Each structure stands twice: as C-alpha cells, then as structure tokens.
Amino acid sequence: MKTTTIDLAGADFTGGIEAFLARLLESGLVGSLLVPKKTTGGDNYVQALIKNPALLQDTDVSAPVMPVHAARIISNLTFRDPGEKIGVVVRPCEARALVELVKFKQITREALFIIAVDCLGTYEPKVFSALVKAGQDPAAELRRQAAAGSTSPTEGAAFRSACEICSFPGAVEPPLVDLVIGLWGVDCGRELYFEAEDETAALLAEKQVLEFNDRENSRRREIIARLSGERAESRDLVLDEFSRRVDSLKGIQELLSTCMRCHNCMINCPICYCRECVFRSPTFEHTPDQYLGWAGEKGAIRMPANTVMFHLTRLNHMVISCVGCGMCDTACPNDIPVMSLFRTVGRKTQAMMEYEPGRSYDEPAPATTFRENEFAKEAGCGH
Amino acid sequence: MSENSSNEFEPRIVGFLCHWCTYTGADLAGTTRQQYPAGIRIIHLMCSGAIDVVYILKALLDGADGVLVGGCHPGDCHYQTGNLKARRRIALLRSIMETLGLDQERVWLRWISASEGRLFAETIREYDGALKQQGANPLAGEWDL
Ligand code: SF4
Ligand code: SF4
Ligand code: FES
C-alpha cells in the first residue's frame, strides 16, 4: 500500500480535489467522472457525470448529503460495459452496495476507477438544504471536526439515523477500490491524503496525476477504529431495542400502520435492482373479483392490499445484502423506520449465513450458493 | 373450506411439490390408498428450487395453517441443485419469521421421492398433528396486513 500527504499550498480542500480530478480526467485514465456537485439552487449536491474538466467546479467529495445512492447510478452507467472507464467517488455504504451489485452482475467492475472517500456523516436532504439556506457550510464544518477525530451535527440538526449507527466511517479499502481519499485525522485546510495499492500508485504517478510521497497518516487509522467500535456499540443498543418493537405481529402492524405501499423504499434501495419487481408486475395486478374474494374470506382486507407481504418479501429477497445505507428511511414519505427493520432482520440472517455485504467480490451471494449439508433444522426439514 | 361434524379444527396445508419427486410421491400415496388428512391443497412445481417465498408468504398471510415444500432428496434434484438452493431460501424465511415473532413451524421443507408414497402420507399426518397442536393460523383473522 502506498500513501501520500499533499500540501495544498494555499488552495482550499475542494479546489485541491478538483485539480486532482481534473488531472485524472485529462490523463485519459478515466473518460468521465461521477462526482457530487452542487446544484444550481446551491442547497443540495447531486451526482454529476462529468466529461468537461471545467465543470468539476462546485464538486465536493465530502458533501454530507446523499439524495440518491451512487451505486444505483453506477449500475445505470455500467450494467453493460460502457466502453470507457468511469471514475466514481463513493462513500462507504455506496462502495459496499457497489460490491454487492458487481456480484449481481449489475455493475461492471472493470469499467470503473473507484475512488472511496471517508464518510463524516450525512444529513437528510431537507435538513442539509435548510442549513445551507441559513448560511452554513456543513461540509467545511464537518471536515474541520474530522481533523480532530469525531463529528457531530450542527446544533438543532441531526445526522441521518443510518449514519448514527454506521460502523463503517472509513473509506472502503483497496483492492476493493482503486484509491482512497482520507478525511479523518487529516487537516483538510492544509493538505490532502490518499492511499492506493502499489500498482495504481505507480500508474497515477507516471501519468502525473498524483505523487506518492509515503507520508502516512496513522492517526486516521486510529480514529476510524475507535469510531467504528463506538458506532457498533450504539448500533447494537438501537437494534436490540428495535427488535423488541417488531417481535410480534402487532408490532409489525404498528410499524407499518402508515405505509401506503408507494414502493419508494424499494425504488431508492441500491440493492433492489430487479428491473421488474414482482410487486409492480402482472403477478400483483389483481382483478376486482380477486379482491372481493379475499375480502369475503377474511371479512375485510386492507387496501391497497399486501402491505405486510411487500415488506416481508423484500426482506426475504434482499436483506442479506442490505448495507444499512438508510436510503429507504430517506425515501419514506411517512417516516417509517424501514432501515431499522432491515438492519434488525439483516444482522441475524447475515450472521446465520456468515455473510457480510460488501466485504469481498469473491464471496458468492448467499442465494446463489449452498453447501451439501447445512440448514436442515433451520429449513424445517425435521431431523 | 368445510369443517367436519365434530367441529374439530382441520388444518389447511398448502403443499408446493416438485414434479419429479414429491408430487409423484403424493400421486403414489393416492393410488396405493394411503390414508392422510384431506386438508392439503397441492400446487405443482417443476422443482422445489422454483419456489419463491412470495408464494409461501401469500399462502400464510391469506390464512393457510401450514406450508409444506416438498422436493427430491439431496443429490436427486433433476435440475442438479434446485433443492439445496430452496433449502437456503426457506432457512432464511424461517429465520426472518422467527425474528418477527411469526410462527416458523408453519413452514416445513421435506424431501420425499417418487417412490415414497408412504412417507408422503406419514409426513402429512405428522404435519397435521403438529398444526392441530399449534392451532389455527392467527393471520387468518387479520384484515390489516
Ligand atoms: S416508502 Fe414508506 S410508505 Fe412507501 S412503501 Fe416504503 S415503507 Fe411504505
Ligand atoms: S434496505 Fe434500506 S438500508 Fe438496506 S440497502 Fe436498502 S435502502 Fe439501504
Ligand atoms: S427436481 Fe425435485 S427438487 Fe429439483
């Protein structure tokens, strides 16, 4: 592994990163870049697919907001080989979902130059927007805090609940990704910090994109380890408590009381990749007499029908790969804690199948594999 | 569904059976006049590996008392390993049901070959007995699902 700490020499953080990204684009190592860029309105960052280096202006890889999950966009761009390398900037939950989508053949790894970045926490888009409109610069503020080893939201605001219990504050590491931009423990007002495998580092140096001077930042590693431990603890507390909320039919009914089955949670989930979800297919286009028949059987049925079934099915189909990004929470118009439900169920099933989503490209997705002798009791096969 | 004269609870079982083994085994149970409870409704699949949990969940949420998925013994699946993938899927489903306080014993997976008509009948009797002890599926009375 090669490391480098680059003196900004008077430039600011975003300017320094923009210059690096421009060199990457101009070097021809990538033909385009997917980076968070400030919207024209100024109160949000969206993914921008950039070809012209001049339009790297107003991009910020540390923007603490994610209105859309990058892995979804990357899947749109590379479900078949796009014919050129695309450089993408991904935070930890985006990188881990990306790994899952590579396994599901929804992303072409070879078409990507993956730049992983530390995550300092994110705000809900509406919260972020309000902070900007109140004159704040949330990204700069969090970078300042991160240099000292921990971040907390601006007074009166909160991070997304997924971020509060996320035990992956550090960028996903090579060889899963190609390059790391470090923020924790880095004095981003003065310097930039990168890590890469030897081969990538040599290539970047040769193309004059980035010099590797072996100035390692060991504080960064310590900070990430500490934060990861603390967050894992609060995750366990939160999920233990939540699991008691959903350990009965009544609990599930209460949780989903305000669900209108709009499918927003599914549409925004990076792992739900099916082009035609069964719930939006003819299988669930029922005829009037079918509805009336079910209502007749039970005396009454909730309409739209199949709300609990929608969530139970989605759990079965994808929870093993749930990365806990919380896009489902962000997307739900009625503030149903979908992420907590999926993480509560996910931690048990992931442990059962000894699987950690996003950990490796080589480990097969549990639904696609099996062992000769396993799970007889769990599957209800008798003895 | 008709109830018998004593008004005793008769479990309703939905069986998703693989064509090559368990479905043929069920057929054999019939032609060799094996006795088993009448409360089973059979759905014919080409392979137990063709089962999607959405159909199991639909049966349970609509009020079936039990779901039995039947396939070929490991090693005998006509599509090589459909049954072993089904086993993972059902293990996952039952684990999720357990976490959410739903009765996982309402889903069973069994390997029954084409020649095991007797085992098919025994299995249905065993499941029927177990479900009688558990009682009717509480989801049958729930409108708000
Ligand atoms: S986004 Fe919310 S309301 Fe819509 S289907 Fe998902 S849980 Fe239900
Ligand atoms: S279920 Fe929710 S938390 Fe899990 S991967 Fe999908 S959007 Fe992210
Ligand atoms: S063919 Fe019978 S389980 Fe696959």
Side-chain angles (χ1 to χ4, degrees):
Chain A
M1 187 79 79
K2 299 289 266 178
T3 60
T4 190
T5 301
I6 302 209
D7 196 333
L8 275 168
D12 65 358
F13 172 81
T14 50
I17 294 285
E18 276 166 34
F20 151 72
L21 291 173
R23 292 195 299 276
L24 183 62
L25 201 50
E26 281 156 359
S27 73
L29 288 174
V30 301
S32 50
L33 280 165
L34 186 74
V35 198
K37 179 171 162 72
K38 196 189 284 183
T39 55
T40 312
D43 61 341
N44 191 17
Y45 282 81
V46 294
Q47 299 287 332
L49 181 62
I50 299 177
K51 283 270 192 189
N52 178 351
L55 288 169
L56 285 165
Q57 204 193 358
D58 284 338
T59 57
D60 186 353
V61 299
S62 73
V65 63
M66 53 183 304
V68 186
H69 197 283
R72 277 200 86 87
I73 313 277
I74 296 167
S75 164
N76 292 339
L77 292 170
T78 67
F79 69 92
R80 61 168 106 90
D81 192 336
E84 69 175 38
K85 273 228 185 208
I86 304 177
V88 296
V89 177
V90 284
R91 59 180 83 247
C93 62
E94 293 174 320
R96 288 182 302 118
L98 185 159
V99 169
E100 293 302 288
L101 291 175
V102 168
K103 287 187 217 180
F104 298 138
K105 306 206 182 331
Q106 301 301 308
I107 287 181
T108 309
R109 169 67 178 101
E110 297 69 36
L112 297 174
F113 185 86
I114 306 175
I115 304 169
V117 59
D118 286 346
C119 181
L120 311 182
T122 62
Y123 295 102
E124 292 292 0
K126 59 192 167 201
V127 174
F128 181 82
S129 165
L131 292 176
V132 171
K133 284 176 175 159
Q136 298 192 27
D137 184 347
E141 172 57 27
L142 291 182
R143 289 196 303 268
R144 256 193 303 281
Q145 293 180 21
S150 68
T151 52
S152 47
T154 309
E155 223 187 299
F159 287 147
R160 294 163 69 244
S161 37
C163 305
E164 266 155 13
I165 59 168
C166 171
S167 58
F168 297 90
V172 168
E173 294 183 4
L176 286 177
V177 303
D178 297 298
L179 181 72
V180 162
I181 300 181
L183 302 174
W184 293 111
V186 177
D187 183 356
C188 291
R190 288 171 209 277
E191 60 195 25
L192 301 178
Y193 183 69
F194 300 89
E195 293 185 359
E197 297 238 287
D198 295 3
E199 216 176 293
T200 313
L203 186 65
L204 290 171
E206 182 202 315
K207 299 272 184 184
Q208 297 182 326
V209 176
L210 210 52
E211 284 299 330
F212 281 78
N213 55 26
D214 295 323
R215 278 173 58 202
E216 189 177 350
N217 186 324
S218 54
R219 269 196 70 228
R220 172 175 175 267
R221 214 156 281 276
E222 286 159 25
I223 293 169
I224 291 172
R226 173 176 49 78
L227 287 174
S228 168
E230 288 171 9
R231 304 262 194 81
E233 261 175 53
S234 40
R235 172 200 65 202
D236 290 343
L237 284 175
V238 167
L239 297 185
D240 286 349
E241 161 114 40
F242 191 85
S243 66
R244 287 190 287 276
R245 223 178 120 184
V246 291
D247 67 359
S248 68
L249 176 62
K250 188 144 185 297
I252 301 163
Q253 286 173 312
E254 278 171 12
L255 183 83
L256 299 176
S257 177
T258 55
C259 177
M260 52 208 203
R261 234 195 86 191
C262 63
H263 299 160
N264 278 359
C265 47
M266 178 254 286
I267 293 166
N268 286 279
C269 172
I271 303 300
C272 270
Y273 65 82
C274 296
R275 293 200 187 253
E276 184 171 64
C277 174
V278 66
F279 283 92
R280 313 178 96 203
S281 77
T283 309
F284 278 85
E285 272 168 26
H286 301 306
T287 55
D289 56 302
Q290 279 177 301
Y291 289 116
L292 293 170
W294 292 318
E297 276 273 328
K298 287 198 168 185
I301 51 167
R302 177 182 176 129
M303 296 293 278
N306 302 316
T307 301
V308 170
M309 185 141 96
F310 166 64
H311 291 283
L312 288 179
T313 302
R314 206 168 82 84
L315 279 167
N316 273 279
H317 283 170
M318 55 60 68
V319 78
I320 203 105
S321 291
C322 167
V323 294
C325 63
M327 291 313 292
C328 44
D329 280 13
T330 295
C332 180
N334 288 339
D335 297 331
I336 296 171
V338 187
M339 177 275 300
S340 305
L341 173 65
F342 278 66
R343 293 213 68 185
T344 297
V345 173
R347 68 174 173 171
K348 197 174 143 216
T349 54
Q350 288 165 4
M352 172 180 166
M353 304 257 165
E354 294 164 19
Y355 187 74
E356 192 187 284
R359 179 166 57 185
S360 107
Y361 289 111
D362 306 323
E363 201 174 9
T368 62
T369 184
F370 54 84
R371 291 192 207 108
E372 213 59 54
N373 292 303
E374 60 170 12
F375 302 133
K377 186 165 154 282
E378 290 82 350
C381 294
H383 326 286
Chain B
M1 199 119 320
S2 62
E3 287 174 30
N4 69 7
S5 51
S6 65
N7 256 353
E8 198 198 330
F9 161 58
E10 283 299 338
R12 296 192 291 183
I13 301 172
V14 177
F16 292 98
L17 309 184
C18 138
H19 171 80
W20 301 100
C21 289
T22 315
Y23 186 83
T24 312
D27 212 27
L28 183 65
T31 52
T32 56
R33 298 175 190 279
Q34 304 280 334
Q35 295 298 313
Y36 62 87
I40 178 159
R41 293 290 173 274
I42 292 175
I43 296 170
H44 187 172
L45 301 175
M46 282 317 284
C47 171
S48 65
I51 189 76
D52 190 299
V53 292
V54 74
Y55 301 109
I56 301 178
L57 288 166
K58 175 79 177 147
L60 291 175
L61 293 176
D62 279 359
D65 296 303
V67 169
L68 176 77
V69 180
C72 311
H73 288 273
D76 292 344
C77 173
H78 289 232
Y79 309 92
Q80 262 85 46
T81 55
N83 49 0
L84 301 183
K85 289 181 184 150
R87 183 170 65 192
R88 278 210 156 194
R89 237 174 275 153
I90 289 171
L92 186 72
L93 166 65
R94 285 176 34 114
S95 154
I96 293 172
M97 290 176 73
E98 190 188 27
T99 308
L100 301 179
L102 304 170
D103 182 0
Q104 56 171 335
E105 292 310 320
R106 295 196 186 275
V107 183
W108 281 14
L109 172 68
R110 291 300 154 102
W111 311 133
I112 299 170
S113 78
S115 62
E116 293 175 322
R118 183 190 297 273
L119 178 61
F120 179 80
E122 270 168 22
T123 303
I124 303 305
R125 284 199 297 272
E126 182 194 349
Y127 204 7
D128 183 77
L131 289 169
K132 276 187 173 138
Q133 300 229 309
Q134 279 161 261
N137 180 1
L139 299 173
E142 289 291 339
W143 72 273
D144 183 11
L145 293 174

